[in-house]
Amino acid sequence: MFGMRRKKESELARAVAELGHASTLAFGGVGIAGTLLPETAAYQRVAAAVTDHPEEVRDLLDRLLAGGAPAGRVYAATLLERLDPAAGRAAWTTLRGDEAELSTMTGCVMGSTTVGEYAAERLDAA
């Protein structure tokens, strides 16, 4: 039992580390084949752990928000919003002034934006 918990924790830490280096923001499959990017798969693994390991996820997301790549910070704020809506809103508010650029993909459509622009859109949609 203890070994299984450690394995789950290390899988979660690896997934968050993957998000920390994410270069593209995509929440589903991309391209004609609908391929799942490694960062999207990592996002999904962390999202699945939110319910079962909320405290651990929160700690990892706080660190990701503070030190991740631009796409990683957006993933962190999105996950924080799921975990704790008030913390998610605070994260988006903080990120609103972030001028770092990131790539986005939705299906076959590739785009780019800044973290701040993305955060402003999330705040406006709330």
Side-chain angles (χ1 to χ4, degrees), residues 4-9 12 45-61 83:
M4 290 190 68
R5 178 177 165 91
R6 281 228 182 258
K7 182 179 178 188
K8 182 66 173 174
E9 288 173 0
L12 182 57
R45 287 193 307 275
V46 176
V50 165
T51 303
D52 295 336
H53 306 284
E55 293 165 6
E56 181 184 357
V57 169
R58 175 66 187 264
D59 181 52
L60 292 167
L61 292 178
L83 183 65

Side-chain angles (χ1 to χ4, degrees), residues 3-34:
M4 290 190 68
R5 178 177 165 91
R6 281 228 182 258
K7 182 179 178 188
K8 182 66 173 174
E9 288 173 0
S10 65
E11 288 174 12
L12 182 57
R14 281 194 301 273
V16 172
E18 177 82 34
L19 292 178
H21 301 292
S23 60
T24 302
L25 184 70
F27 293 101
V30 299
I32 294 171

Side-chain angles (χ1 to χ4, degrees), residues 21 77 82 114 116:
H21 301 292
R82 272 180 90 171
T114 67

